[in-house]
Amino acid sequence: MTGAENIPASGGAILAANHQSVVDSVFLPLMLDRPVTFSAKAEYFTASGPAARLWAAYLRATNQLRMDRDGPRAAQDTLEAALALLQEGKLFGIYPEGTRSPDGRLFRGRPGVGWLALKSGLPVIPVALSGTRQVLPPGHVVPRPGRIEVKIGQPLAIAPDLFDAPPGKARRQIADQVMAAIQQLSGQEYVHVFASDRKAELAAADASGPSQPAGRRLLRGRASVRMPGAAARPRRSRGQPGDDE
């Protein structure tokens, strides 16, 4: 691990990380001297099966934040619970992409990280994890041997004028700033679309079968590669504070 000195010894801070595998929420806390709380889907806490029960036990033992995605205020309620933790002086980890990367690339950040930064006034610290996707690929339940690397960047400086800017614009700008910092650390290819939209495209392509040309199915994801803050008009979509897989 590099950059551990960027984690404050005390007080609240937002750790914003890329999301490659479900084990991201295990390895990052294990590498730090201070506890880190992430949000996790409510289904994880009650899942059946040996591996699922072990995962649920870990979530409960480490006091991870249970995220119930049902209801119109589910995302906002989770953000407000995270804000309360930050105000208590705790570390809160968030995956701005909102879900695991469907293909290993880095996807556009949701504005929830901006909301937390503005409401708490606390630093956002970018984090890049690599190797977790190889240790536990999507669809697998048994980890493989592999090398995992964690890079922790310096706290991001939020422009003071953003605290007085229109909230939507400020949240969007902070989210883009965070993703740019994560991309610098991780070296991943950046895709200026939401990971959940890309997953929906892949699911639709699978459902459509071989009749639809593969090039057409993949065009949208490949053609949308650009860095945060590019001139193209962003797509409007609701933010997710944690993991919406």
Side-chain angles (χ1 to χ4, degrees), residues 126-147:
V127 178
L129 297 107
S130 61
T132 55
R133 189 179 183 87
Q134 288 70 41
V135 168
L136 190 65
H140 292 249
V141 295
V142 179
R144 304 169 176 176
R147 176 181 174 83

Side-chain angles (χ1 to χ4, degrees), residues 39-45 59 66-67 69 243-245:
S39 63
K41 294 187 296 184
E43 304 94 281
Y44 286 156
F45 290 82
L59 295 175
R66 180 170 178 153
M67 182 177 71
R69 297 183 298 169
D243 194 339
D244 68 352
E245 302 163 60

Side-chain angles (χ1 to χ4, degrees), residues 18 20-24 27 103-105 129-138 140 142-149 188:
N18 59 338
Q20 298 283 302
S21 169
V22 294
V23 296
D24 293 337
F27 281 96
D103 55 20
R105 296 181 294 177
L129 297 107
S130 61
T132 55
R133 189 179 183 87
Q134 288 70 41
V135 168
L136 190 65
H140 292 249
V142 179
R144 304 169 176 176
R147 176 181 174 83
I148 292 175
E149 185 175 4
Q188 291 169 272

Side-chain angles (χ1 to χ4, degrees), residues 15-242:
L15 305 186
N18 59 338
H19 198 12
Q20 298 283 302
S21 169
V22 294
V23 296
D24 293 337
S25 300
V26 176
F27 281 96
L28 180 57
L30 285 176
M31 300 294 288
L32 301 179
D33 294 331
R34 296 182 57 190
V36 183
T37 299
F38 283 88
S39 63
K41 294 187 296 184
E43 304 94 281
Y44 286 156
F45 290 82
T46 57
S48 59
R53 286 197 296 270
L54 183 62
W55 178 235
Y58 167 82
L59 295 175
R60 288 191 292 268
T62 55
N63 297 315
Q64 300 304 299
L65 183 61
R66 180 170 178 153
M67 182 177 71
D68 189 343
R69 297 183 298 169
D70 294 331
R73 280 188 51 86
Q76 187 61 35
D77 288 346
T78 303
L79 285 173
E80 290 175 1
L83 177 61
L85 291 171
L86 289 167
Q87 292 171 336
E88 292 172 5
K90 298 179 179 178
L91 298 178
F92 182 75
I94 187 171
Y95 301 118
E97 291 168 279
T99 185
R100 285 177 292 173
S101 171
D103 55 20
R105 296 181 294 177
L106 186 69
F107 286 77
R108 193 180 186 205
R110 298 283 185 173
V113 66
W115 187 93
L116 282 176
L118 292 169
K119 289 292 185 179
S120 68
L122 293 171
V124 180
I125 301 172
V127 178
L129 297 107
S130 61
T132 55
R133 189 179 183 87
Q134 288 70 41
V135 168
L136 190 65
H140 292 249
V141 295
V142 179
R144 304 169 176 176
R147 176 181 174 83
I148 292 175
E149 185 175 4
V150 179
K151 295 181 180 179
I152 302 172
Q154 294 183 353
L156 299 177
I158 306 300
D161 60 320
L162 287 181
F163 290 90
D164 298 319
K169 178 181 179 181
R171 292 192 296 266
R172 180 72 264 153
Q173 187 168 328
I174 292 171
D176 287 345
Q177 180 184 359
V178 169
M179 298 315 295
I182 294 174
Q183 196 276 333
Q184 269 196 319
L185 290 171
S186 70
Q188 291 169 272
E189 178 185 350
Y190 177 78
V191 187
H192 196 65
V193 297
F194 294 119
S196 57
D197 290 346
R198 179 64 179 142
K199 284 185 174 181
E201 291 173 357
L202 293 171
D206 288 342
S208 68
S211 59
Q212 187 178 5
R216 183 179 176 185
R217 294 199 303 266
L218 298 178
L219 177 61
R220 188 176 176 185
R222 294 186 181 277
S224 300
V225 177
R226 58 175 67 89
M227 288 303 298
R233 185 179 180 85
R235 299 179 62 185
R236 296 182 64 86
S237 184
R238 288 191 311 164
Q240 292 290 342

